[in-house]
């Protein structure tokens, strides 16, 4: 199957060259992919996925291998590369719990990668590819070895490989996962409105964006916005500034119903619940937040896992492409339709 190099030895490079020459329908985004800091075997996998030669069921059928066209994992849909790595419920569960998010509203795998490259920063692109690769390994484990995949192993493995690229977490408030309610899916509020907020902080440029979505007790979209907030020092300040921004935006709306503001940064949530006695910039920001809502009785804060905060996350990411402020009322922007539906279908 592989073409070998001049010495007759298979190398990753000759493998790529082979694939590149054999399949001229090269996606336009391949140039930047070479610059990604990923293990060669992962890049190799990526190339095979991009050129549609990964041996998923639909590709084996084309090679006249007698087998079912259905995905061997969910047994529900044709197994294309996009299905296998992204849209299969098995894969989707991993994407929504990762901080990359689920970007399944595309026609094929190259389109997914193009989407990721457009909307995510370089670190997240790398992480996304690692997750796709681990999903592929887990799928093969299930198909060929009947291996039972323990939930979260896929993410943990991808995480492990990318640890050196991870941003150092600021640990101001001790984090005890046992005290945190394990809400994985987004839940509509019992009454009134729920406002999900998220910040997107680009560690390279220091630029930050904030995303906000308000939904009612039926899960119906009410309002949404994203705003670019310029330069911030670190991600913790970014997280706090988004709360301040969201609060002042919500306050200007004068909603007459109870509103719960949901965020995925536990540190900020906990800081809002207590009195901080230091003079740090962080404490000042928290103070600003409390001051803003001092006369708003029906507002409360809650913490959710990232997986339940996907809509706000996508809106925050969108700030890279909107100048300043973008707002939507009643009708949500098309790029969040899928996640809104996903949140609704999971209740
Ligand atoms: Zn499937």
């Amino acid at each position: 199957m592989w073409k070998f190099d001049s010495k007759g030895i298979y190398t990753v490079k000759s493998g790529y060259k082979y694939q590149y020459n054999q399949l001229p329908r090269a996606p336009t985004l391949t140039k930047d992919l070479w610059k990604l800091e990923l293990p060669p075997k992962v890049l190799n996998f990526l190339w095979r996925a991009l050129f549609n030669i990964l041996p998923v069921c639909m590709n084996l059928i084309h090679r006249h291998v007698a087998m079912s066209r259905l995905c061997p994992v969910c047994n529900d849909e044709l197994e294309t590369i996009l299905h296998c790595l992204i849209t299969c419920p098995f894969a989707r569960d991993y994407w929504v719990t990762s901080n990359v998010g689920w970007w399944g509203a595309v026609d094929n795998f190259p389109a997914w990668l193009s989407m990721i490259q457009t909307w995510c920063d370089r670190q997240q692109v790398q992480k996304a590819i690692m997750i796709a690769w681990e999903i592929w390994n887990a799928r093969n484990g299930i198909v060929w070895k009947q291996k039972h995949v323990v939930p979260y192993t896929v993410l943990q493995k991808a995480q492990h490989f990318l640890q050196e690229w991870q941003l150092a977490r600021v640990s101001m408030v001790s984090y005890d996962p046992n005290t945190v309610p394990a809400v994985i899916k987004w839940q509509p509020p019992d009454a009134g409105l729920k406002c999900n907020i998220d910040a997107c902080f680009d560690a390279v440029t220091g630029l930050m964006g904030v995303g906000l979505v308000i939904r009612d007790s039926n899960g119906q979209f009410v309002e949404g916005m994203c705003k670019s907030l310029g330069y911030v020092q670190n991600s913790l300040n970014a997280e706090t500034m988004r709360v301040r921004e969201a609060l002042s935006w919500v306050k200007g709306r004068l909603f007459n119903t109870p509103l719960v503001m949901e965020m995925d940064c536990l540190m900020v949530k906990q800081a809002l619940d207590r009195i901080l006695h230091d003079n740090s910039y962080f404490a000042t920001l928290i103070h600003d937040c409390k001051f803003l809502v001092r006369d708003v009785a029906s507002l409360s804060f809650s913490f959710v896992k990232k997986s339940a905060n996907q809509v706000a996350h996508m809106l925050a990411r969108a700030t890279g492409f909107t100048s300043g402020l973008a707002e939507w009322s009643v009708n949500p922007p098309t790029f969040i339709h899928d996640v809104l539906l996903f949140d609704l279908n999971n209740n």
Side-chain angles (χ1 to χ4, degrees), residues 105-123:
V106 288
D107 295 332
N108 50 46
F109 184 79
W112 172 83
L113 188 65
S114 168
M115 187 90 141
I116 292 283
Q117 285 196 299
T118 308
W119 294 91
C120 298
D121 61 33
R122 181 191 161 87
Q123 286 191 343

Side-chain angles (χ1 to χ4, degrees), residues 68-250:
S68 163
R69 290 155 195 260
L70 284 182
C71 167
V73 179
C74 69
N75 254 308
D76 200 36
E77 283 182 53
L78 301 179
E79 196 198 30
T80 59
I81 291 175
L82 181 73
H83 175 86
C84 171
L85 300 176
I86 315 293
T87 58
C88 179
F90 168 77
R92 195 171 60 182
D93 278 354
Y94 288 110
W95 289 113
V96 293
T97 42
S98 78
N99 67 2
V100 176
W102 187 72
W103 301 75
V106 288
D107 295 332
N108 50 46
F109 184 79
W112 172 83
L113 188 65
S114 168
M115 187 90 141
I116 292 283
Q117 285 196 299
T118 308
W119 294 91
C120 298
D121 61 33
R122 181 191 161 87
Q123 286 191 343
Q124 281 200 305
V125 171
Q126 290 177 160
K127 190 171 171 188
I129 294 165
M130 289 303 303
I131 293 172
W133 184 63
E134 290 297 350
I135 288 173
W136 175 243
N137 290 334
R139 176 262 188 206
N140 289 336
I142 293 169
V143 174
W144 306 115
K145 296 166 202 156
Q146 262 108 45
K147 211 198 274 174
H148 175 68
V149 178
V150 184
Y152 299 108
T153 38
V154 170
L155 285 179
Q156 276 163 2
K157 281 185 183 171
Q159 193 78 24
H160 173 78
F161 271 93
L162 279 178
Q163 257 172 5
E164 52 187 307
W165 289 300
Q166 288 277 303
L167 283 169
R169 283 259 171 91
V170 191
S171 51
M172 273 187 60
V173 181
S174 61
Y175 180 93
D176 178 3
N178 297 321
T179 64
V180 181
V183 180
I184 305 284
K185 312 278 192 206
W186 183 84
Q187 300 286 334
D190 295 333
L193 299 171
K194 182 179 269 188
C195 171
N196 283 81
I197 57 172
D198 196 15
C200 142
F201 174 67
D202 187 329
V204 181
T205 59
L207 293 172
M208 182 186 72
V210 60
L212 175 158
V213 57
I214 296 178
R215 280 168 287 184
D216 64 17
S217 52
N218 296 316
Q220 237 1 283
F221 177 90
V222 179
E223 300 219 34
M225 73 100 159
C226 68
K227 188 177 177 184
S228 167
L229 293 186
Y231 176 80
V232 279
Q233 275 176 312
N234 61 48
S235 59
L236 183 62
N237 285 346
E239 297 289 348
T240 321
M241 280 170 80
R242 80 176 169 178
V243 178
R244 188 175 63 176
E245 191 60 35
L247 285 172
S248 72
W249 193 85
V250 165

Side-chain angles (χ1 to χ4, degrees), residues 22 56 128 151 165 216 251 259 263 267-268 273 275 297 315 320 333:
Q22 287 297 303
V56 291
W165 289 300
D216 64 17
K251 215 187 156 187
L259 187 136
M263 60 197 80
M267 238 175 304
V268 175
D273 291 340
I275 298 161
L315 284 167

Side-chain angles (χ1 to χ4, degrees), residues 172-174 267-277 286 290:
M172 273 187 60
V173 181
S174 61
M267 238 175 304
V268 175
K269 199 276 174 195
Q270 287 182 338
L272 285 164
D273 291 340
R274 62 178 76 175
I275 298 161
L276 297 179
H277 293 288
I286 291 288
K290 288 180 176 174

